[in-house]
Amino acid sequence: RKRIAIMTSGGDSPGMNGVVRACVRMAIHMGCDALCVYEGYEGLVRGGDYIRQMEWHDVRGWLSEGGTLIGTARCMAFFERAGRLKAAKNMVLNGIDALIICGGDGSLTGADRFREEWPSLLQELVATGELKPAQVEPYQHLNLVGLVGSIDNDLSGTDATIGCYSALSRVCEMVDYIEATATSHSRAFVIEVMGRHCGWLALMGGVATGADSIFIPEKPKRDDWREEMRALVEKHRKSGKRKTIVIIAEGAQDRHGHKITPEMVKDLLADKNGLALDTRITTLGHVQRGGTAVAYDRMLATLQGVEAVRAVLEATPETKTSFIAITENKIARKPLMEAVQETKSIAKAIEAQEFEKAMTMRDTEFYD
Ligand code: F6P
């Protein structure tokens, strides 16, 4: 009887509970034991009560819960080999044949490293007498599959990460709220949204709310953005618009790699010798990440969770670490490290101010 463990890692995202529910139930349905590792890699390193067997009813009602009920952490111990040794030992002691990890690119990169090191970790555990050769014998290969849970939608090779549409909905809702008060006072608002180095949330949030202007890292404004924005806002105001909404990604920068802050945009809009608008800054913050998952994320979590269990059951020692993607509405297994490498290349292209290249690599035509 195979034992499949499920874990959530890194920043939480709406839909992670749906993933855990789907994996637990699919594993049981396939005649396997389902286990949950609590608190991400931290739980794998600590073992004991952090690793628990789950039954069908344990995940009842989880689809409509926000965050991740099995906890998550950004674990420092796992960055050290000593931490990974403990994690490997706990996997063997718990008889775990396969591990499904739902997290962002950092968590999934950590997973791939763990898999690569696996044989040498087992060797060391035997050499130091922590485990007996007979104990490690059945676990020669680490069977591992990733699911991308992140509100940022920043991983290459998949159209949507689990949670990004919930965060986008939240951004939209919050901007709608702000618009009512902005119109009442004829004010301008500079709204900062999350996304780390990725402008997807800001861009789609801006498109979905009809913002006057959007700042994203992948397509920095021209050097004369101040003049351009002044003229645009003036035009909108002259046509009778009583509100001005600017959406700025937390990673926004200019063409020279200098950060553009909400304060800089506010200064321009409020400039007494220019537009002289009564301007406020709103940082949406973690409301974007919390709350329940929208229907799309629940569906994605369920379909991808089921596919992840299938993938670990069908894996052979030769199978590369894969992750579950959605491309053109189809659930697909893809090699994990290729997607991680491409994601890193986008970050490098932005850093090197090769914006055209970064936009082409972003997998979405909207960036143009
Ligand atoms: O990756 C998800 C994310 O919410 C980013 O959008 C943001 O930059 C970061 O995590 C915030 O991290 P923390 O919750 O640790 O402050």
Side-chain angles (χ1 to χ4, degrees):
R1 200 173 162 90
K2 286 215 177 319
R3 287 165 67 77
I4 302 176
I6 301 109
M7 171 174 117
T8 52
S9 172
D12 64 306
S13 71
M16 281 185 163
N17 287 320
V19 164
V20 176
R21 171 182 175 272
C23 290
V24 164
R25 291 194 165 175
M26 181 65 176
I28 295 171
H29 172 74
M30 298 302 281
C32 306
D33 287 336
L35 295 97
C36 278
V37 178
Y38 281 69
E39 314 303 340
Y41 287 115
E42 192 73 46
L44 208 55
V45 172
R46 290 178 185 232
D49 206 26
Y50 285 87
I51 304 173
R52 293 180 217 161
Q53 184 153 345
M54 306 290 279
E55 303 304 332
W56 187 274
H57 63 264
D58 286 331
V59 289
R60 185 166 295 140
W62 283 31
L63 209 45
S64 55
E65 294 274 356
T68 165
L69 288 163
I70 60 171
T72 185
R74 303 197 203 270
C75 173
M76 296 324 282
F78 200 75
F79 284 110
E80 311 285 328
R81 187 169 162 94
R84 293 194 291 278
L85 273 169
K86 283 189 190 153
K89 184 177 172 185
N90 287 326
M91 296 259 303
V92 172
L93 290 180
N94 281 280
I96 296 171
D97 300 282
L99 184 60
I100 298 172
I101 300 172
C102 181
D105 63 341
S107 305
L108 299 181
T109 308
D112 192 69
R113 173 134 192 233
F114 190 42
R115 185 189 193 241
E116 232 169 53
E117 264 187 354
W118 184 256
S120 83
L121 292 172
L122 292 195
Q123 261 173 19
E124 195 174 329
L125 287 168
V126 170
T128 53
E130 294 268 347
L131 291 174
K132 296 195 170 59
Q135 280 178 296
V136 303
E137 218 282 315
Y139 305 103
Q140 291 308 310
H141 303 279
L142 175 57
N143 188 354
L144 197 146
V145 164
L147 286 160
V148 202
S150 169
I151 61 161
D152 301 337
N153 202 12
D154 56 349
L155 197 87
S156 280
T158 187
D159 292 347
T161 55
I162 298 162
C164 74
Y165 278 102
S166 302
L168 179 59
S169 279
R170 203 84 66 233
V171 169
C172 227
E173 203 182 336
M174 295 303 131
V175 175
D176 287 350
Y177 288 165
I178 289 169
E179 276 187 357
T181 173
T183 307
S184 307
H185 287 262
S186 199
R187 277 178 174 159
F189 275 82
V190 183
I191 303 169
E192 188 187 73
V193 308
M194 280 186 168
R196 215 181 281 271
H197 308 296
C198 183
W200 186 86
L201 259 185
L203 180 59
M204 299 307 158
V207 169
T209 55
D212 295 76
S213 187
I214 306 166
F215 286 77
I216 57 169
E218 295 86 346
K219 194 167 187 177
K221 305 253 187 238
R222 295 200 315 251
D223 282 347
D224 61 351
W225 66 269
R226 287 186 172 81
E227 290 74 40
E228 195 189 30
M229 186 185 275
R230 198 176 296 134
L232 182 82
V233 171
E234 212 162 57
K235 192 173 121 201
H236 289 173
R237 287 280 170 167
K238 275 196 180 131
S239 71
K241 207 170 176 184
R242 282 178 54 86
K243 59 172 190 217
T244 301
I245 303 287
V246 176
I247 307 244
I248 180 163
E250 60 182 355
Q253 55 172 349
D254 67 17
R255 291 193 164 250
H256 312 287
H258 302 126
K259 191 170 168 53
I260 297 187
T261 62
E263 288 74 18
M264 287 159 77
V265 181
K266 178 186 169 180
D267 286 348
L268 170 81
L269 296 169
D271 183 5
K272 291 267 177 298
N273 302 314
L275 293 161
L277 292 172
D278 186 7
T279 307
R280 298 286 189 273
I281 294 174
T282 303
T283 305
L284 293 187
H286 288 77
V287 290
Q288 295 162 95
R289 226 162 75 188
T292 57
V294 296
Y296 182 85
D297 281 326
R298 298 180 195 199
M299 178 275 289
L300 196 59
T302 304
L303 298 183
Q304 292 194 334
V306 165
E307 183 64 11
V309 173
R310 281 204 189 112
V312 293
L313 289 177
E314 288 167 15
T316 67
E318 287 72 42
T319 315
K320 281 196 202 164
T321 316
S322 61
F323 78 102
I324 312 299
I326 181 157
T327 28
E328 295 183 355
N329 261 341
K330 290 197 176 55
I331 304 292
R333 290 176 208 170
K334 292 192 170 180
L336 174 65
M337 282 328 277
E338 280 170 31
V340 169
Q341 285 315 335
E342 199 174 309
T343 307
K344 289 207 172 108
S345 307
I346 297 174
K348 278 201 190 119
I350 295 175
E351 220 171 277
Q353 290 147 43
E354 294 167 351
F355 303 113
E356 296 298 323
K357 190 169 155 193
M359 281 189 306
T360 320
M361 289 160 87
R362 267 283 186 236
D363 284 348
T364 163
E365 62 197 34
F366 291 114
Y367 281 87
D368 296 335

